[in-house]
Amino acid sequence: MHYKFTIIVPVYNEEENLERVEQELLAYTKIATFPTKIMFVNDGSKDGSQLLIENICERHSNFSYIAFKENRGLSAAIKAGFDYAETELVGYIDSDLQTAPSDFNLLLEYIGDYDLVTGVRANRKDSFVKNMSSKIANGIRRTFTHDGMDDTGCPLKVIKTEYAKRIPMFKGLHRFLPAMILLQHGKVIQVPVQHFPRVAGTAKFGLWNRLLGPLMDCFAYLWMKKKYINYTVAKQSK
């Protein structure tokens, strides 16, 4: 089968969620807009996640994985997924499944005209503190990047792979994916998606990760924007 879309699933100590991840992503592949592959990126999990991932991939030919030697963070996991993807389109979803795989079809409706389509979580089911810290962090980030996005932390995105592979990722930059596509003169759009409470496992981000860390990352983004190399090839030998 010729696959067109790869969904990256970063995993860090999510053994309690992986059976549900398998079921829901397998169900999605049967209704997906395009033939779809699933790629787990195990970010140095210390629980039983790796064994579960290997068993899942043995059961399904369109599921694969890469496993880090040690924990390197969400941005590194997403970057590795971009690096190893071989399909025309790439997306990602968190393994906590607080967003619905079926909503990828909503995003894919727009990918022909845009280079990145990101979800924006409607009626978020998180705590007051988490919601408010994310809202503040998004406001700060918009002030720095002018990307026009309301919820760049939404773990449901689709990107044209040629753009994704050119993103110079660093730790924390997963929040700046729309801005990094804009640096490539790409087009971005946000689309409302469903959001659900976490039902298993524990959240990996605290107040520092959601608020103070992103503020520091904004200065890194400004440095990168100033130094970013962008070019267009006018002609090439045959």
Side-chain angles (χ1 to χ4, degrees):
M1 180 181 294
H2 176 70
Y3 293 101
K4 187 173 181 179
F5 182 38
T6 299
I7 297 174
I8 299 163
V9 187
V11 175
Y12 180 62
N13 295 343
E14 291 284 0
E15 63 179 354
E16 296 176 28
N17 275 316
L18 285 173
E19 181 178 352
R20 191 163 65 97
V21 170
E22 175 188 13
Q23 294 171 353
E24 294 205 20
L25 287 175
L26 184 63
Y28 172 70
T29 61
K30 299 180 186 305
I31 64 166
T33 303
F34 304 114
T36 299
K37 301 174 69 175
I38 311 299
M39 182 194 301
F40 292 105
V41 182
N42 184 1
D43 183 22
S45 294
K46 302 184 186 306
D47 62 359
S49 292
Q50 181 59 28
L51 178 59
L52 291 171
I53 289 170
E54 291 181 19
N55 290 337
I56 291 170
C57 293
E58 287 179 3
R59 288 192 288 268
H60 311 293
S61 61
N62 58 332
F63 282 60
S64 64
Y65 73 86
I66 57 177
F68 286 178
K69 183 177 180 180
E70 56 190 0
N71 176 244
R72 304 303 296 171
L74 179 57
S75 292
I78 294 171
K79 170 61 173 170
F82 291 168
D83 290 344
Y84 279 80
E86 298 177 343
T87 52
E88 178 182 338
L89 302 173
V90 64
Y92 91 89
I93 187 171
D94 278 355
S95 50
D96 59 18
L97 288 183
Q98 286 193 257
T99 50
S102 59
D103 281 348
F104 273 119
N105 284 353
L106 297 177
L107 306 189
L108 288 166
E109 290 180 17
Y110 296 86
I111 198 62
D113 297 323
Y114 294 88
D115 304 300
L116 176 146
V117 187
T118 182
V120 54
R121 290 166 285 191
N123 301 314
R124 285 187 64 172
K125 307 300 181 182
D126 289 322
S127 67
F128 174 79
V129 171
K130 186 173 181 179
N131 283 337
M132 286 304 299
S133 59
S134 293
K135 186 174 182 179
I136 293 169
N138 274 302
I140 294 170
R141 178 197 41 71
R142 277 197 307 273
T143 300
F144 278 79
T145 65
H146 305 288
D147 61 9
M149 300 290 105
D150 296 315
D151 184 18
T152 60
C154 178
L156 200 74
K157 290 179 173 62
V158 175
I159 312 174
K160 289 177 179 172
T161 305
E162 61 179 307
Y163 282 83
K165 287 182 179 294
R166 291 198 297 262
I167 295 174
M169 296 281 283
F170 61 83
K171 188 173 182 180
L173 200 65
H174 60 274
R175 303 178 184 91
F176 295 82
L177 291 177
M180 297 308 297
I181 299 300
L182 291 174
L183 282 185
Q184 299 181 42
H185 305 305
K187 297 173 63 178
V188 303
I189 190 173
Q190 58 185 6
V191 177
V193 297
Q194 303 173 83
H195 189 247
F196 307 95
R198 177 185 269 272
V199 298
T202 57
K204 307 304 186 293
F205 292 93
L207 181 63
W208 168 262
N209 304 97
R210 289 194 299 267
L211 187 57
L212 301 179
L215 175 60
M216 297 177 64
D217 293 339
C218 284
F219 293 100
Y221 166 78
L222 290 181
W223 177 88
M224 179 169 289
K225 181 178 180 180
K226 184 178 180 180
K227 301 290 186 179
Y228 187 73
I229 296 173
N230 207 350
Y231 62 88
T232 301
V233 175
K235 199 172 183 179
Q236 183 178 5
S237 63
K238 295 181 180 180

